[in-house]
Amino acid sequence: MSTSQKLQTVALSYEQMQSRIARFKDMKGFDGGLPDSGIDGSRRTLINAVGFQPPRETEKAGSPVGAEAARNAAIKIREGFNLGYCRCKPGNGPLMHNHDTNETFIPMTGKWRCSWNEDDPQFVDVGPMDVVSFPPGVVRRFENITFDEPDMEHILMFVIAGDSPTAEFTDTALAIVQEKSKT
């Protein structure tokens, strides 16, 4: 942009701005509604803060936060990104999955393990305010590893690009869901 070009400015009233403000204490969390949500090691609450409009659901793919959370965003916008929180106890997080857009993790509390590459697993352990950003298509997962506080739920923020991003669990993850659902 040249120095002679100006950005468009928009004025919002205080009342108009209210639909773009969400207090964490008032946000509703959901169990995920994802294939792995009900199995040990994957129990978590997902909180849809900004965006996450429902994408087209298929047998293997859907919203990164689950259909119910996608319909219940605290701030309902379509502006090219989505922001949510995961709250869970140690030893929990989603199974391996990928997205069709970038996904960035930022722990708010606790210690988290961010893993990638299902066939040749790699990981990094991160703490509050650290940032891990995965490009589209990379198989990844996160897990609360704050094992010295076994009864404490910790919070991880995630930002996912796009207006209606899609998440897809790997075949191995879906097989784990099938096996654990039998027991």
Side-chain angles (χ1 to χ4, degrees), residues 6-25:
K6 289 187 132 189
L7 293 176
Q8 177 183 355
T9 59
V10 176
L12 286 180
S13 70
Y14 186 85
E15 291 76 26
Q16 290 170 313
M17 193 62 198
Q18 296 310 298
S19 67
R20 301 179 72 92
I21 299 169
R23 308 276 183 201
F24 187 78
K25 67 180 179 58

Side-chain angles (χ1 to χ4, degrees), residues 143-163:
E143 178 186 1
N144 178 352
I145 59 167
T146 317
F147 294 111
D148 59 337
E149 298 177 294
D151 296 322
M152 177 80 166
E153 288 186 317
H154 285 281
I155 299 172
L156 175 91
M157 178 195 299
F158 50 90
V159 179
I160 301 179
D163 288 326

